[in-house]
Amino acid sequence: MELIKEIEIRYFRSFYKFRLKDLGDLSIIFGKNDSGKSNVVRALNLFFAGRPEHSHPFDFPIDFCEQRLSESEVADDVRKFLYVKVTFNTPSSYRKSLGATFSIKRQWTVSRGADYNEEISRHIPKQKHYLVTRLLNKIKFIYIPAIKDLSIFEMLLASIHETISESADFTKAIGDFSNQLQKMTSEMFKGLPEEVSSSTKIGAPTQLSQLFQTLDFETLANGELTPKSLTRQRGDGVKVRHIPELLNFISEKDKFDFHIWGFEEPENSLDFVASQSEASRMLALAKGDRVQVIMTTHSPSFYLLDDPSVAKYYVSKNSKGLSTPTQGKDLKEFDAQSALQDGFYLPAVAEAVKQVAEIEARAKQAEEAATNLAQELAEITTPVVLTEGRTDAKILLLAWEKRRGGTPPFQIRSCETGGEQAGSGNGGAGSLALRVKAIAADHPNTVVALFDRDPEGIAAYKLDKNFVEFDVVGHKAKRGMHGKSYAALLPAPDFRDDCAAYQNLPIEFLFRDEHLGKSVDGKRLALKGKKASTMVGTQKVEKPLDDVTHFKDVGNGKTDFAEVIVPSFDAEAFDAFDQVFSIIEGLIAFEAARVD
């Protein structure tokens, strides 16, 4: 729920002129200790509850900004005041009367003390101010400080009483309790003389909110035989995990329509895994239609949440000790190194955690793809040639048909997984190397990996220590020491010596330039010229290289080239592929002889 759109704070504690814009369902405020991030939540508590913290009432001399105080001491015209201004996205049922958004500013002055002056958006006429008050009365703000001690649970239990006190079932239960208690104790005062009292009995409790504060929760973990007290016997991490669920119960059951949680450091006392789970849970609750969460954190688990419903703000202090926010586009361009200079490591740590998570995800995906491919290959009884991509496989198959005719005595497969229309993001030289290394010694057939002779292909062709290089039909190739798996680079024809020298020989360059430039039905292969670059002082200088094929990269149109243009070539255009097939056949023959 995005009820609060913007928060503007002036002269409160470490804030001089401070504003957070475009808050989300879940707004995450992060920064180093003592940066002032918690003052955002405390300012909201001042706005809604009239005090910045549960344990400390508003005290103007303490809560007034020191910078503003210094200015007021040297200049008579500098007024001593502070304010919190909240801009709301108007709920649909009020939008016709109050507009799409409206704001409320509550201002405190040194002379008024705890009393404040309230200003409502000018576009709302005074006769409609009652609607603003009515809406505010439907909003409940709950502040959870960084230290989650027993008093927080007492406060939440009192709120639970407030939530269920108007329930008919609860009222009946209290009545039954009182009646039963009176029956059981009816003899207690029977001996009193009538002049003292004609009837004395135990009455129904009237201060149930205080009674609720003394209650506790019993928890029973897996494997335990007896329940334990949540607040007195469980660790802080277990207690903290219960707080969002208590808040959610209150938000779902009470009389308020809208709920805002000001939550300081929900990750406190949680390990990494629990923090990850708590972040996901908090986001799920905030994306509902009754709750908005504004929180502070030091945890990458929260800072790394990637969802359109999340807004993030980095708070730091300037040279004057005043808190300033980095947000929006500025935060997207935020340099983690600048935070390190401030002594704040979360962005850098978060970036590292994100990169590790991405690497692990890619590795897991690659492992799954390799397993799936190995299962597919095990079902093939003939040798298999694996290429880096689908278009490579199509070109190779066309070349066999043009030069040899018929069906090749081996399968030609791409290392990409998925259906024919799947994207090409999981192919490439690295994936091809991973797949050929996954071929087991008991694999039923020979597998040959064919790498492009470019920097990526050459690097991937190195494979690992389990592969040894040897000569086959006048070319270098590699064999897995356990057999069955082989690898080779595309051989360079005489007319592509320069491509070999500059390590720029993809399979498309096995055709001559006149073929690469051919167009069919307006479709053609795009080649992009490379540039040479160097640093001159602090400036990067780039210069286009000569307009020759070995200084070009294959751009758009690979699929059209393989499916539309290549089939139009005559057999002579494929002559460079003879060497490719010679290597493949040589490797298959070598494996057959070795097995025999």
Side-chain angles (χ1 to χ4, degrees):
M1 178 188 71
E2 295 181 6
L3 181 61
I4 295 181
K5 179 181 181 181
E6 185 175 291
I7 304 169
E8 182 180 337
I9 307 170
R10 188 74 62 92
Y11 311 137
F12 173 73
R13 296 194 175 183
S14 62
F15 299 149
Y16 191 82
K17 296 180 180 180
F18 187 93
R19 184 169 66 161
L20 298 185
K21 300 179 289 185
D22 299 321
L23 273 72
D25 296 328
L26 174 60
S27 297
I28 299 173
I29 305 165
F30 63 99
K32 65 180 294 188
N33 288 336
D34 198 37
S35 62
K37 58 186 183 295
S38 294
N39 285 336
V40 176
V41 179
R42 293 165 186 167
L44 284 174
N45 201 56
L46 175 61
F47 179 91
F48 285 103
R51 58 195 302 143
E53 300 173 61
H54 294 304
S55 56
H56 299 290
F58 174 72
D59 189 337
F60 191 93
I62 293 176
D63 294 317
F64 190 49
C65 174
E66 290 185 6
Q67 176 69 25
R68 184 69 173 180
L69 177 62
S70 299
E71 293 172 354
S72 68
E73 290 175 345
V74 297
D76 295 335
D77 59 344
V78 175
R79 296 170 54 215
K80 294 182 180 179
F81 70 93
L82 62 87
Y83 71 73
V84 182
K85 180 180 178 182
V86 179
T87 300
F88 295 89
N89 289 309
T90 310
S92 57
S93 56
Y94 288 82
R95 204 164 293 158
K96 185 176 180 180
S97 300
L98 303 181
T101 64
F102 71 93
S103 63
I104 299 174
K105 183 172 82 171
R106 290 179 172 173
Q107 180 169 302
W108 290 259
T109 63
V110 64
S111 57
R112 271 201 209 103
D115 296 330
Y116 60 82
N117 179 60
E118 183 174 279
E119 295 180 16
I120 298 174
S121 297
R122 293 181 180 179
H123 73 271
I124 301 176
K126 288 188 176 180
Q127 62 267 29
K128 292 187 177 181
H129 282 192
Y130 77 96
L131 292 172
V132 174
T133 302
R134 181 183 297 174
L135 175 57
L136 281 181
N137 289 336
K138 293 179 179 293
I139 301 172
K140 182 165 187 174
F141 179 82
I142 302 180
Y143 167 45
I144 303 296
I147 299 175
K148 283 76 172 175
D149 57 14
L150 183 59
S151 65
I152 296 303
F153 289 90
E154 291 175 349
M155 179 269 292
L156 292 173
L157 283 163
S159 294
I160 289 175
H161 165 256
E162 180 184 338
T163 298
I164 66 175
S165 61
E166 297 180 4
S167 164
D169 290 341
F170 180 75
T171 302
K172 181 178 182 302
I174 293 298
D176 292 345
F177 166 75
S178 298
N179 291 334
Q180 188 65 27
L181 188 62
Q182 289 170 10
K183 288 180 182 178
M184 294 175 65
T185 59
S186 59
E187 303 292 322
M188 185 181 299
F189 302 106
K190 190 175 181 180
L192 279 175
E194 289 189 2
E195 63 267 20
V196 176
S197 175
S198 60
S199 176
T200 300
K201 58 184 178 181
I202 296 178
T206 57
Q207 299 294 324
L208 284 174
S209 63
Q210 295 179 8
L211 171 63
F212 265 69
Q213 290 180 39
T214 66
L215 298 179
D216 198 357
F217 300 95
E218 289 185 349
T219 66
L220 188 66
N222 287 337
E224 293 182 342
L225 299 178
T226 57
K228 293 183 178 180
S229 161
L230 174 64
T231 59
R232 293 172 175 82
Q233 291 180 286
R234 292 297 184 191
D236 290 340
V238 174
K239 288 190 287 187
V240 167
R241 293 296 297 274
H242 281 74
I243 292 177
E245 307 310 319
L246 293 172
L247 292 173
N248 188 47
F249 175 85
I250 294 168
S251 300
E252 288 182 342
K253 304 294 185 181
D254 68 11
K255 63 182 179 180
F256 297 92
D257 293 339
F258 311 101
H259 301 79
I260 300 168
W261 303 348
F263 215 126
E264 289 185 20
E265 301 173 18
E267 75 277 2
N268 278 1
S269 303
L270 299 182
D271 59 35
F272 180 75
V273 174
S275 184
Q276 292 280 94
S277 176
E278 191 78 340
S280 298
R281 178 60 176 156
M282 198 76 78
L283 175 59
L285 292 172
K287 291 172 74 171
D289 57 2
R290 295 174 61 85
V291 175
Q292 183 177 23
V293 181
I294 301 166
M295 56 162 286
T296 66
T297 188
H298 290 120
S299 171
S301 299
F302 289 90
Y303 172 72
L304 284 178
L305 283 172
D306 186 13
D307 190 279
S309 300
V310 175
K312 301 175 185 178
Y313 308 88
Y314 173 57
V315 176
S316 58
K317 282 189 175 179
N318 60 21
S319 58
K320 295 182 179 180
L322 300 173
S323 300
T324 59
T326 303
Q327 55 192 312
K329 292 182 180 179
D330 293 335
L331 185 58
K332 290 181 180 179
E333 299 171 359
F334 182 68
D335 181 13
Q337 294 300 319
S338 62
L340 287 174
Q341 294 169 6
D342 292 337
F344 183 59
Y345 302 99
L346 174 57
V349 171
E351 187 63 28
V353 171
K354 181 178 180 180
Q355 290 174 1
V356 169
E358 290 174 350
I359 292 171
E360 289 179 345
R362 289 199 300 270
K364 183 177 180 181
Q365 183 182 34
E367 289 174 2
E368 291 174 352
T371 300
N372 293 337
L373 185 63
Q375 292 173 351
E376 290 180 26
L377 295 179
E379 298 172 0
I380 300 173
T381 58
T382 58
V384 178
V385 175
L386 284 178
T387 65
E388 293 185 12
R390 287 192 177 88
T391 57
D392 298 358
K394 290 176 180 178
I395 290 173
L396 203 60
L397 183 59
L398 281 167
W400 181 274
E401 293 173 357
K402 296 283 187 175
R403 298 299 291 181
R404 304 288 185 89
T407 302
F410 46 81
Q411 293 273 351
I412 300 176
R413 305 288 297 273
S414 163
C415 73
E416 294 181 54
T417 57
E420 189 65 23
Q421 301 302 317
S424 59
N426 62 349
S431 294
L432 179 56
L434 181 66
R435 284 151 175 74
V436 76
K437 286 189 288 187
I439 301 301
D442 59 352
H443 200 272
N445 45 39
T446 305
V447 179
V448 178
L450 194 61
F451 293 91
D452 289 349
R453 192 178 287 271
D454 58 16
E456 293 79 13
I458 292 170
Y461 169 74
K462 293 179 181 178
L463 298 169
D464 57 32
K465 63 182 180 179
N466 292 316
F467 284 79
V468 295
E469 196 166 55
F470 70 111
D471 291 322
V472 60
V473 296
H475 295 276
K476 295 291 185 183
K478 286 192 175 183
R479 177 178 67 87
M481 288 191 292
H482 55 262
K484 299 297 186 181
S485 54
Y486 293 83
L489 291 166
L490 286 177
D494 293 341
F495 62 87
R496 292 299 186 210
D497 285 342
D498 288 335
C499 287
Y502 288 100
Q503 297 184 353
N504 188 26
L505 185 70
I507 197 168
E508 290 83 1
F509 287 3
L510 293 183
F511 297 103
R512 291 171 173 79
D513 290 349
E514 60 265 29
H515 302 117
L516 296 179
K518 187 173 181 179
S519 175
V520 176
D521 297 331
K523 297 177 179 179
R524 61 181 301 149
L525 181 67
L527 298 179
K528 302 182 296 182
K530 294 177 179 287
K531 294 180 180 180
S533 64
T534 186
M535 295 298 295
V536 179
T538 59
Q539 301 298 316
K540 184 179 181 180
V541 178
E542 293 184 332
K543 181 181 179 181
L545 297 176
D546 295 340
D547 186 20
V548 290
T549 303
H550 54 272
F551 287 152
K552 293 182 179 180
D553 291 323
V554 175
N556 296 329
K558 290 184 66 171
T559 300
D560 289 337
F561 183 73
E563 296 179 353
V564 179
I565 300 172
V566 172
S568 70
F569 297 162
D570 58 29
E572 291 302 317
F574 294 86
D575 61 338
F577 286 85
D578 290 344
Q579 292 186 72
V580 178
F581 296 134
S582 177
I583 294 173
I584 293 172
E585 291 169 326
L587 292 174
I588 293 173
F590 179 89
E591 175 62 18
R594 189 186 70 83
V595 173
D596 291 343

